[in-house]
């Protein structure tokens, strides 16, 4: 409807609109930026045409949403070893592809499936963006490649079903535990599925494998194999690449990874373990994870360093007993020793000079 007025005269409606616009822009100049990067303005006070433009500019494009989702999936791979980093997750996948391209593919797919499931059922957005819904799914993909069917479609199907199942379990467990949930969900889903196949039942070390002599170079190499065994890969070269990815994120965290794995290997030799098991890194991966967990969650002090080394040793010893027990059922103990030791370690907060970081990241930033 047109409102006719003489030249130079502004209607009362026009004056109200101009005053509203001036007030909005004055407030926007004084407001602080919010977490979304936009000034703190109440959008409801905008005139209709301004409000529509504001809201349309705040909606991410489909390409931006796709990139954010893929970033979350990459972080999910990195979060297996406490790397909240897109680059770290990418480097880990590249390193895994060197040792086992199929396993690397299924790990990436597992993180994608679990992260997508979490987003579909409305999981916590901050956890999704940090990759905390993806790492259990990525490990499911690794397990499907290592223990599952050699027929790739079956392995892919197992990855899809198992990874999707981890998302709601992660959501429920996160509300139930007072400590970080680590890889409890991965252990539960994988062991439940392996009960029907029992992949280790009747398997044993060959005569050739027991002839390995545990020299210092072998133990050093086993330390890197132990790091790669976190992802169920038996090769030192992916381990070296993974340690490089950790060092890119946090050099001190990389030292904890290698040192923890080395300690686990020494514990295995001290316990009289088969040298072939030590050389395959089986005694190292739980110890590496336990040592890294302390470094990632606690403020770095002399007490935390002692706890890190102690956790590595205890995890190695617990692996020896748990692996023997689970072997009778033809099952691997996976990362149960790490979960047990790391969860117990979190309860020491406030004791012996130990303090959990307000925002866990790395020894340098905690």
């Amino acid at each position: 409807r047109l409102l006719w007025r003489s030249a130079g005269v502004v209607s009362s409606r026009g004056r109200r609109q101009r005053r509203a616009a001036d007030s909005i822009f004055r407030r926007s100049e004084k407001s602080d930026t919010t977490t979304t990067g936009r000034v703190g303005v109440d959008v409801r006070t905008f005139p209709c045409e301004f409000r529509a433009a504001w809201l349309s500019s705040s909606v991410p494009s489909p390409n931006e949403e796709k990139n954010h989702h893929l970033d979350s999936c990459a972080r999910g791979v990195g979060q297996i070893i406490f790397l909240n980093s897109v680059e770290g997750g990418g480097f880990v996948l590249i390193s895994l592809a060197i040792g086992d391209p199929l396993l690397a593919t299924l790990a990436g797919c597992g993180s994608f499936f679990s992260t997508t499931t979490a987003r579909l059922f409305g999981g916590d957005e901050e956890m999704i963006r940090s990759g905390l819904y993806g790492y259990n799914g990525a490990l499911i993909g690794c397990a499907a490649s290592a223990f599952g069917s050699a027929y790739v479609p079956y392995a892919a199907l197992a990855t899809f079903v198992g990874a999707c199942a981890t998302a709601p379990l992660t959501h429920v467990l996160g509300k139930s535990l007072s400590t970080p949930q680590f890889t409890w969900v991965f252990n539960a889903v994988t062991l439940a599925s392996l009960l029907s196949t029992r992949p280790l039942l009747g398997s044993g070390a060959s005569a050739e494998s027991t002839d390995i002599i545990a020299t210092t170079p072998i133990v050093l190499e086993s330390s890197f194999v132990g790091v790669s065994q976190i992802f169920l890969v038996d090769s030192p070269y992916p381990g070296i690449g993974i340690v490089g990815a950790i060092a890119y994120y946090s050099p001190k965290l990389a030292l904890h990874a290698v040192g923890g794995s080395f300690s686990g290997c020494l514990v295995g030799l001290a316990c009289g373990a088969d040298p072939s098991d030590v050389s395959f890194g089986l005694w190292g991966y739980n110890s590496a994870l336990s040592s890294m967990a302390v470094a990632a969650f606690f403020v770095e002090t002399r007490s935390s360093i002692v706890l890190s080394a102690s956790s590595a040793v205890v995890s190695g010893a617990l692996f020896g007993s748990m692996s023997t027990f689970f072997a009778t059922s033809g099952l691997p103990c996976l990362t149960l020793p790490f979960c047990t030791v790391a969860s117990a370690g979190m309860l020491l907060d406030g004791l012996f000079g130990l303090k959990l970081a307000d925002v866990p990241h790395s020894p340098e930033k905690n």
Side-chain angles (χ1 to χ4, degrees):
R1 185 175 60 182
L2 296 177
L3 298 176
W4 296 97
R5 293 291 184 272
S6 59
V9 178
V10 181
S11 67
S12 61
R13 179 182 178 184
R15 285 195 298 270
R16 288 196 302 271
Q17 287 182 337
R18 187 172 65 182
R19 282 198 301 269
D22 290 342
S23 175
I24 289 166
F25 288 117
R26 281 197 300 271
R27 284 206 311 275
S28 68
E29 292 175 353
K30 297 179 182 178
S31 301
D32 296 328
T33 57
T34 64
T35 56
T36 59
R38 297 190 179 277
V39 291
V41 178
D42 188 355
V43 181
R44 292 173 296 180
T45 62
F46 272 81
C48 293
E49 59 272 21
F50 292 156
R51 190 188 313 163
W54 179 276
L55 292 176
S56 63
S57 66
S58 65
V59 177
S61 66
N63 287 335
E64 289 177 339
E65 290 183 349
K66 179 180 178 181
N67 291 335
H68 287 323
H69 191 67
L70 293 178
D71 286 352
S72 300
C73 298
R75 289 179 190 273
V77 177
Q79 285 283 14
I80 296 173
I81 47 177
F82 310 105
L83 307 185
N84 186 8
S85 167
V86 177
E87 294 83 3
F91 290 156
V92 168
L93 280 178
I94 293 173
S95 301
L96 293 178
I98 295 174
D100 191 335
L102 176 60
L103 182 142
T105 302
L106 293 179
C109 290
S111 180
F112 177 81
F113 293 148
S114 56
T115 303
T116 303
T117 303
R119 198 178 291 277
L120 289 176
F121 74 71
D124 182 80
E125 185 62 29
E126 185 62 28
M127 289 183 61
I128 293 174
R129 288 184 177 273
S130 299
L132 296 179
Y133 277 102
Y135 69 91
N136 282 299
L139 284 173
I140 291 292
C142 295
S145 175
F147 301 118
S149 173
Y151 186 52
V152 175
Y154 287 165
L157 179 61
T159 300
F160 173 76
V161 174
C164 291
T166 63
L169 290 176
T170 299
H171 181 75
V172 172
L173 199 61
K175 293 178 177 291
S176 305
L177 294 180
S178 59
T179 59
Q181 54 182 294
F182 299 118
T183 54
W184 287 111
V185 171
F186 157 68
N187 285 290
V189 174
T190 304
L191 289 175
S193 63
L194 291 181
L195 278 173
S196 60
T197 60
R198 301 186 178 188
L200 304 184
L201 193 62
S203 64
S206 63
E208 296 180 352
S209 65
T210 58
D211 294 336
I212 297 176
I213 300 176
T215 61
T216 300
I218 290 294
V219 176
L220 290 175
E221 178 181 319
S222 300
S223 301
F224 290 97
V225 180
V227 174
S228 68
Q229 281 284 11
I230 296 173
F231 300 85
L232 302 173
V233 177
D234 173 25
S235 174
Y237 304 111
I240 293 172
I242 293 168
V243 171
I246 301 172
Y248 177 82
Y249 181 82
S250 167
K252 289 185 178 180
L253 193 62
L255 290 176
H256 282 273
V258 178
S261 181
F262 181 77
S263 299
C265 292
L266 292 181
V267 170
L269 294 175
C271 292
D274 191 328
S276 64
D277 290 341
V278 176
S279 67
F280 291 155
L282 298 180
W283 284 78
Y285 69 94
N286 278 290
S287 297
L289 284 171
S290 296
S291 181
M292 292 175 68
V294 174
F297 281 90
F298 282 93
V299 176
E300 187 180 40
T301 60
R302 185 176 300 176
S303 298
S304 70
I305 294 174
V306 172
L307 178 61
S308 175
S310 302
S311 297
V313 173
V314 174
S315 293
L318 193 57
F319 169 80
S321 59
M322 279 192 172
S323 60
T324 302
F325 173 77
F326 277 84
T328 58
S329 301
L331 297 173
C333 66
L334 301 177
T335 57
L336 286 175
F338 150 64
C339 289
T340 304
V341 173
S343 297
M346 297 297 112
L347 300 178
L348 298 178
D349 178 34
L351 301 175
F352 312 111
L354 296 168
K355 183 180 184 301
L356 287 172
D358 295 331
V359 181
H361 184 275
S362 61
E364 290 87 351
K365 293 189 177 182
N366 286 350

